[in-house]
Amino acid sequence: MSKSVVISLGSGDLNNGFPNVTARLWSLGNSLPQQFIGSLPAAPSLVKVCRNWQLFYKNVCGRQLLRSLLIEEDDELEIDEDAITNVSVVCFHELCQKIQEDINDWLKSFEFLNIELQLRSRLHPSEEIHFIIETNDDLLRRLPWHRWDFFNDYPLAEMALSQPEYKRREYSQPKLPRKKVRILAVLGNSQGIDLETEISFLSSLEDAELVFLVNPSRQQFNTLLWENPGWDILFFAGHSQTEGETGRIYINENKTNNNLTIGQLEEALKAAIDNGLQLAIFNSCDGLGLASALEKLSIPAVIVMREPVPNVVAQEFFKHFLEAFAIERLSLYLAVQQARRKLQGLEDDFPGASWLPVICQNPAVEPPSWLKLGGVPPCPYRGLFAFQEEDTHLFFGREQFTQDLETASKRKPLVAVVGPSGSGKSSVVFAGLIPRLRQDSNVGWQIVSFRPGNNPFEALAGAMAELTLSPDSPKEDCPVVEDSPSGVTQAIASSFGEALSLLCFQGDNLNKYINQNPKLNIRRLIELKLEIALRQDNKALYKIIESFVQQNPKTRLLLIADQFEELYTLCPEEERQGILDTLLNAVRLAPAFTLVLTLRSDFYGYVLSYRPFSDALQGAVLNLEPMSREELRAAIEQPAAQMQVRLENELTNKIINDVGEQSGRLPLLEFALTQLWSKQTDGWLAHQDYKEIGGVDEALAIHAEAVYAQLCEADRTRARRVFMQLVCLKEGMEATRRLATRDQVKSENWDLVTRLADARLMVTNHNESSGEETVEIVHEALIRSWGRLEQWIQLDGGFRHWQEQLRSAIRQWESSGQDEGALLRAKPLADAQYWQHKRIDELSVGEKHFIELSLALRDNELKKHKRRRQRQLTILGLIAGLILVLSLALIAW
């Protein structure tokens, strides 16, 4: 919660004192302030030291106060960044210290004590505080109020300036909601200034609508200020100066008509403010006069520099301010505070830099934020994707389970996270467990992960190769790897031990393969050798882990097997027991090792069917139950709060009720929240928008159907074929998603795959080991919730069942060394011929080739059989003829 403090100094000056000082305190959402009264004594010494500080600042920075009538000489308005002497800097620092001491002595006076005590009793250090000094005295507005000791106790307090008289301007017409912040960037006279940096900063903002006005005429500037829809931010970079209670900006490099005062743009600026202009930023010299003139027009907020500013300082401030305000979404006050403080790092070269930026705010108007200006913060919800380690700051609702999982992972060699599909198993491991383990100061955790897929040994080898190649490895001496077989041996030996490196090199086939593929990268070489080792010896993983831990004391290895059910849906049955034995040996024998696996609860029975694995799971299972209402509330509201977005009253309860008590609905919830987020306006998520997206139950199906409806007829046919290739259908099992290669979905369909991935219905990837491009359905929730896909599964299920059997036969044929005895025969071949005739366009090149080989083998066997039969008939004919001749001869005899 933020609070605002407005200190009105009233009439008076530093030479005569301030007899009537009032402090008003507002809390956010409360329009009635608290008020405290005091006074301030005269401080003539502060006048002198302030004037001296200004002179020293300008002298130290080499700024000449000569104002030339010729704009060509206006480079003197900019500071000479090289004219700094060591002696003057020392004196300047001493003067800075003096002015700080005098300000604090003045504000600690007895007359002001009541105000300070009242404020301290009502403010908390954790609160954001907007501290506004209300005065029109030029010298008071130039004081470094932020050096008041009061601010040391309130780290989230930042000061601003205000005129004594202010009012709230009403918009001439309702501001239309929009998804981008409109910025008019005026780049004026830039002699001696590099404005490319500012242009680059502004252009990098994704949710900003920018119009650049470079060296404009007065008419061009005036015309754009009148534009409707209006502007949210006015940005000026170039030369400027204060002239009494107004300011002058140099808008172009012409010899005449090259500068303007605020008064010369008054009507246009009034119109811009009426149309929604809320923030003006003058990244230029000496802008307090500009701010005073704009404040009289009731602009909500202005950011200026108190004094002349070096180009480098102006650029650094603007960069840090944009990062904090537009990207980190900090409030205006905290963004200026953060950017101002960072300027202190430049003060070796540019003394006083962090004293220059200041906010001038209209206290009658709430200070603008990027969100309220129209910016859309990045969505904090993950939709159908699992939360990852980098999303931990947005992962809420599973705190207790994460703590239990952390405790189990530190104590047990095997932990199984079991829950229904869509219960958040992967998220709780990657966004919950891993960040917690990385914070463990007692043990250095080395974490690798894999998904079994259709080749679990290859996937496991890829994960273990990370221990050799990862720059995050805790090894003190990371091996220098040559891009050669011998270099691979050295790397494996250094990481996993000499015995394993020798095991990896057994067999001539691999070395032959390496010699035939000299362009293989080092990672692929290591993965190939580790895969062979894992296949040959079911204790190889244990040896790898033991060797690694011995070479890295105080390190514990965590291996994550995500989506472990793929062993039963995608993995060939002949490899399943081998990978299970490999993992079980590591769990049983390896030191300082934990295996964490995530498993769908409907596959738990398959796991228990293998007795050794069933025994290992005793006491190792953590069941992930559906979220409680309190956990769901945290998962819904906390990520939005991180982005300063709120839900309308009772909307959270409505969403929780729609989620219900059914298991596996978290992906649907996250997707609905993602859709709802895209409709948020001015920092609010609304009931009407939630209704429009279809709520938790229908949001995903509506989105999928909308994407499908936008496809032409030919693409809809292709989409059906592609989606069916991404569904795994097995007898007795619920339909699941499967990872398909580019060849399996047909290369000519890849453009459609890319479009569907952009629409968040599919996920494409690249297999680093094989070099293949892959695709899969974004989440199994899509299979369950999209009626059209369910219908396709019913209609095409027979074909897909057969195709999976065909692919299994192909794998057996390949593993047998392409023995023709493993080709299709009899009924399987007849079925293949039938489906090839019916669905030839949906078969991959490899599948067609396998069927053609089987048909060719059948035809060859038929021809051979026919030839044998013909030979047999010929022989029988000859024999019959011979018998007849002999018979006739016998009769004749």
Side-chain angles (χ1 to χ4, degrees):
M1 177 181 292
S2 65
K3 291 185 176 179
S4 296
V5 176
V6 178
I7 295 185
S8 176
L9 298 178
S11 61
D13 55 44
L14 286 171
N15 287 312
N16 299 295
F18 300 86
N20 298 303
V21 178
T22 60
R24 297 185 299 280
L25 172 62
W26 280 274
S27 297
L28 181 67
N30 191 340
S31 59
L32 300 177
Q34 302 177 68
Q35 182 168 302
F36 317 109
I37 298 175
S39 62
L40 279 167
S45 62
L46 194 54
V47 176
K48 181 178 179 180
V49 76
C50 247
R51 298 297 185 195
N52 286 340
W53 185 91
Q54 284 183 286
L55 292 174
F56 266 67
Y57 172 78
K58 293 167 184 175
N59 192 34
V60 165
C61 294
R63 185 180 188 273
Q64 302 300 322
L65 294 177
L66 299 176
R67 305 293 186 184
S68 174
L69 296 177
L70 298 176
I71 194 66
E72 289 87 352
E73 297 179 7
D74 189 54
D75 58 336
E76 293 181 353
L77 295 176
E78 208 57 35
I79 295 171
D80 179 1
E81 296 168 1
D82 297 322
I84 300 175
T85 65
N86 291 330
V87 174
S88 63
V89 168
V90 171
C91 296
F92 181 75
H93 286 323
E94 292 176 352
L95 189 58
C96 288
Q97 186 64 34
K98 172 64 176 170
I99 196 172
Q100 288 178 217
E101 292 173 357
D102 285 2
I103 286 175
N104 280 289
D105 288 344
W106 181 51
L107 294 175
K108 288 177 182 176
S109 61
F110 176 78
E111 297 89 335
F112 192 71
L113 182 61
N114 176 59
I115 289 179
E116 180 172 350
L117 292 177
Q118 294 287 357
L119 292 176
R120 286 184 178 275
S121 68
R122 288 164 173 81
L123 298 175
H124 193 274
S126 63
E127 295 175 319
E128 180 179 337
I129 305 169
H130 306 159
F131 219 101
I132 303 174
I133 306 298
E134 189 180 287
T135 180
N136 57 9
D137 184 280
D138 180 67
L139 185 59
L140 288 172
R141 289 167 72 89
R142 293 182 184 273
L143 285 180
W145 292 91
H146 64 280
R147 304 306 298 174
W148 181 17
D149 288 344
F150 181 91
F151 289 102
N152 294 333
D153 300 326
Y154 299 89
L156 299 183
E158 178 65 8
M159 61 83 52
L161 300 172
S162 167
Q163 291 287 329
E165 185 175 327
Y166 45 82
K167 61 183 179 180
R168 184 184 300 108
R169 291 187 77 97
E170 301 296 337
Y171 292 141
S172 60
Q173 55 188 0
K175 183 181 175 183
L176 297 176
R178 46 180 187 256
K179 302 301 183 184
K180 291 196 174 184
V181 179
R182 295 199 78 215
I183 302 176
L184 176 59
V186 182
L187 308 178
N189 184 326
S190 60
Q191 289 187 12
I193 306 175
D194 176 17
L195 297 182
E196 289 300 320
T197 304
E198 281 91 340
I199 294 173
S200 175
F201 293 157
L202 287 167
S203 300
S204 67
L205 300 176
E206 295 182 359
D207 52 351
E209 180 183 339
L210 285 160
V211 172
F212 287 102
L213 196 57
V214 181
N215 287 323
S217 66
R218 176 179 177 177
Q219 182 178 1
Q220 290 172 325
F221 195 177
N222 189 80
T223 300
L224 277 178
L225 285 174
W226 277 94
E227 187 171 292
N228 194 8
W231 307 98
D232 299 303
I233 297 176
L234 170 64
F235 171 78
F236 175 82
H239 293 296
S240 68
Q241 65 188 74
T242 289
E243 295 181 351
E245 293 186 0
T246 187
R248 185 176 300 276
I249 57 175
Y250 292 84
I251 59 174
N252 59 52
E253 300 177 10
N254 300 338
K255 292 185 178 180
T256 59
N257 299 322
N258 52 34
N259 61 83
L260 292 169
T261 64
I262 296 299
Q264 290 173 297
L265 289 171
E266 181 174 343
E267 295 302 325
L269 286 167
K270 285 180 180 178
I273 294 169
D274 288 342
N275 285 332
L277 178 63
Q278 296 192 54
L279 175 63
I281 304 172
F282 290 89
N283 209 35
S284 57
C285 288
D286 197 7
L288 282 176
L290 298 169
S292 294
L294 282 167
E295 286 177 276
K296 291 174 182 177
L297 302 180
S298 300
I299 191 171
V302 185
I303 298 174
V304 295
M305 298 292 180
R306 284 191 178 94
E307 303 289 346
V309 59
N311 184 33
V312 172
V313 174
Q315 289 178 346
E316 283 296 300
F317 170 78
F318 187 57
K319 178 184 75 172
H320 296 313
F321 171 75
L322 271 189
E323 288 175 349
F325 187 60
I327 299 175
E328 297 177 29
R329 314 287 170 159
L330 297 183
S331 69
L332 179 72
Y333 277 75
L334 292 184
V336 170
Q337 181 196 64
Q338 180 170 297
R340 179 180 58 74
R341 286 176 171 175
K342 288 184 176 181
L343 293 182
Q344 196 170 41
L346 302 176
E347 291 186 344
D348 282 349
D349 297 323
F350 306 105
S354 64
W355 288 25
L356 302 180
V358 64
I359 303 169
C360 297
Q361 196 215 322
N362 181 349
V365 182
E366 189 175 345
S369 67
W370 187 261
L371 190 61
K372 292 175 183 175
L373 292 176
V376 178
C379 182
Y381 304 108
R382 290 291 293 155
L384 299 177
F385 300 95
F387 284 84
Q388 299 300 318
E389 185 175 354
E390 60 269 20
D391 304 315
T392 184
H393 64 293
L394 302 172
F395 183 64
F396 294 94
R398 290 293 194 186
E399 289 78 10
Q400 183 57 54
F401 186 89
T402 300
Q403 183 176 339
D404 295 341
L405 179 58
E406 178 189 13
T407 301
S409 299
K410 290 179 177 180
R411 296 177 179 176
K412 301 177 181 180
L414 173 63
V415 180
V417 179
V418 179
S421 174
S423 58
K425 301 179 294 297
S426 298
S427 295
V428 82
V429 170
F430 288 97
L433 174 64
I434 292 179
R436 280 176 172 262
L437 294 180
R438 293 207 191 279
Q439 296 173 4
D440 190 344
S441 58
N442 298 319
V443 178
W445 286 83
Q446 185 69 18
I447 302 170
V448 292
S449 64
F450 76 106
R451 278 177 56 180
N454 58 13
N455 191 339
F457 283 111
E458 179 186 68
L460 180 56
M464 301 311 294
E466 292 292 330
L467 299 181
T468 300
L469 301 171
S470 173
D472 297 329
S473 173
K475 298 183 292 295
E476 294 182 1
D477 299 318
C478 197
V480 178
V481 183
E482 299 175 7
D483 199 359
S484 65
S486 61
V488 176
T489 308
Q490 178 187 354
I492 295 176
S494 178
S495 297
F496 306 136
E498 194 66 36
L500 181 59
S501 68
L502 293 176
L503 175 62
C504 288
F505 270 91
Q506 288 181 359
D508 296 330
N509 290 337
L510 179 60
N511 288 323
K512 182 178 179 181
Y513 176 74
I514 293 173
N515 292 330
Q516 292 174 349
N517 296 272
K519 293 185 179 180
L520 280 174
N521 61 39
I522 186 64
R523 180 191 181 93
R524 183 59 181 145
L525 288 174
I526 291 177
E527 288 176 355
L528 283 170
K529 294 180 179 298
L530 289 177
E531 181 182 348
I532 288 178
L534 292 169
R535 287 182 181 277
Q536 289 180 343
D537 183 1
N538 60 23
K539 291 186 178 180
L541 179 61
Y542 146 64
K543 296 174 184 176
I544 291 173
I545 297 168
E546 182 179 50
S547 179
F548 177 80
V549 171
Q550 287 175 352
Q551 295 183 49
N552 299 277
K554 296 184 180 180
T555 297
R556 187 175 183 89
L557 178 64
L558 176 71
L559 175 64
I560 299 169
D562 191 29
Q563 300 185 41
F564 200 68
E565 64 274 3
E566 289 182 347
L567 277 180
Y568 304 92
T569 60
L570 303 180
C571 173
E573 188 173 351
E574 58 272 15
E575 290 193 4
R576 189 178 304 144
Q577 183 172 333
I579 193 71
L580 287 174
D581 289 338
T582 296
L583 294 172
L584 287 173
N585 282 329
V587 168
R588 184 169 54 88
L589 301 172
F593 170 68
T594 297
L595 170 65
V596 172
L597 58 90
T598 65
L599 177 70
R600 275 177 45 174
S601 53
D602 50 332
F603 283 86
Y604 192 56
Y606 293 93
V607 174
L608 297 181
S609 65
Y610 185 51
R611 179 59 184 270
F613 207 68
S614 175
D615 292 342
L617 285 173
Q618 295 294 328
V621 175
L622 292 181
N623 292 314
L624 189 59
E625 302 294 339
M627 279 185 167
S628 65
R629 291 186 68 89
E630 291 73 20
E631 290 173 331
L632 285 171
R633 186 176 302 279
I636 294 168
E637 293 181 346
Q638 291 298 325
Q642 294 274 338
M643 301 297 169
Q644 303 173 37
V645 173
R646 289 172 286 180
L647 286 84
E648 283 186 348
N649 191 32
E650 292 299 314
L651 179 55
T652 302
N653 288 333
K654 168 64 176 169
I655 296 173
I656 292 174
N657 291 337
D658 289 349
V659 173
E661 298 181 358
Q662 299 180 47
S663 61
R665 289 173 61 83
L666 288 183
L668 297 179
L669 167 64
E670 285 286 322
F671 186 84
L673 290 171
T674 303
Q675 294 292 92
L676 181 61
W677 189 264
S678 65
K679 293 180 174 292
Q680 63 98 3
T681 304
D682 293 334
W684 284 94
L685 302 179
H687 280 276
Q688 182 59 35
D689 295 328
Y690 178 70
K691 183 178 179 181
E692 287 179 6
I693 66 168
V696 171
D697 292 318
E698 300 178 13
L700 179 55
I702 290 174
H703 172 71
E705 196 62 27
V707 172
Y708 179 77
Q710 293 172 0
L711 301 177
C712 65
E713 195 60 39
D715 284 345
R716 291 178 186 177
T717 301
R718 291 200 295 158
R720 174 175 175 172
R721 292 174 178 175
V722 170
F723 270 108
M724 287 307 301
Q725 290 300 319
L726 306 182
V727 177
C728 178
L729 300 172
K730 288 192 174 183
E731 292 292 344
M733 290 186 183
E734 183 182 347
T736 59
R737 60 177 174 168
R738 67 178 291 270
L739 193 70
T741 64
R742 180 170 182 155
D743 180 55
Q744 289 172 339
V745 299
K746 313 297 283 294
S747 291
E748 56 267 29
N749 292 330
W750 200 253
D751 63 315
L752 178 61
V753 167
T754 303
R755 274 188 283 158
L756 294 173
D758 291 339
R760 294 175 297 161
L761 297 181
M762 296 180 181
V763 180
T764 58
N765 214 324
H766 183 269
N767 189 316
E768 293 184 3
S769 299
S770 64
E772 290 180 309
E773 290 179 287
T774 61
V775 60
E776 62 182 331
I777 290 174
V778 66
H779 197 278
E780 284 164 3
L782 185 63
I783 300 174
R784 300 193 300 269
S785 64
W786 189 19
R788 186 178 296 276
L789 182 53
E790 287 184 322
Q791 184 181 21
W792 290 342
I793 291 173
Q794 291 177 359
L795 295 174
D796 298 339
F799 167 70
R800 286 293 293 117
H801 272 298
W802 167 80
Q803 194 174 36
E804 288 300 320
Q805 293 172 355
L806 175 68
R807 287 169 178 166
S808 178
I810 292 174
R811 287 193 295 267
Q812 292 178 358
W813 172 65
E814 290 174 341
S815 63
S816 68
Q818 300 186 355
D819 183 0
E820 65 177 20
L823 292 173
L824 299 175
R825 286 180 169 79
K827 187 178 184 304
L829 181 56
D831 292 341
Q833 197 170 13
Y834 168 80
W835 286 115
Q836 185 184 40
H837 176 71
K838 297 279 288 185
R839 301 289 188 97
I840 189 168
D841 292 337
E842 298 174 58
L843 298 177
S844 68
V845 174
E847 291 164 351
K848 292 176 185 176
H849 177 64
F850 182 69
I851 295 173
E852 292 301 327
L853 288 177
S854 299
L855 289 172
L857 177 63
R858 183 197 65 180
D859 292 343
N860 287 336
E861 290 179 343
L862 287 175
K863 288 178 182 178
K864 289 179 181 179
H865 180 71
K866 187 175 181 180
R867 286 197 295 268
R868 285 197 300 269
R869 186 168 181 79
Q870 287 176 344
R871 286 197 297 268
Q872 290 172 351
L873 290 174
T874 300
I875 293 171
L876 289 173
L878 291 174
I879 293 174
L882 179 59
I883 292 172
L884 179 59
V885 169
L886 291 174
S887 299
L888 292 173
L890 180 61
I891 292 170
W893 180 78

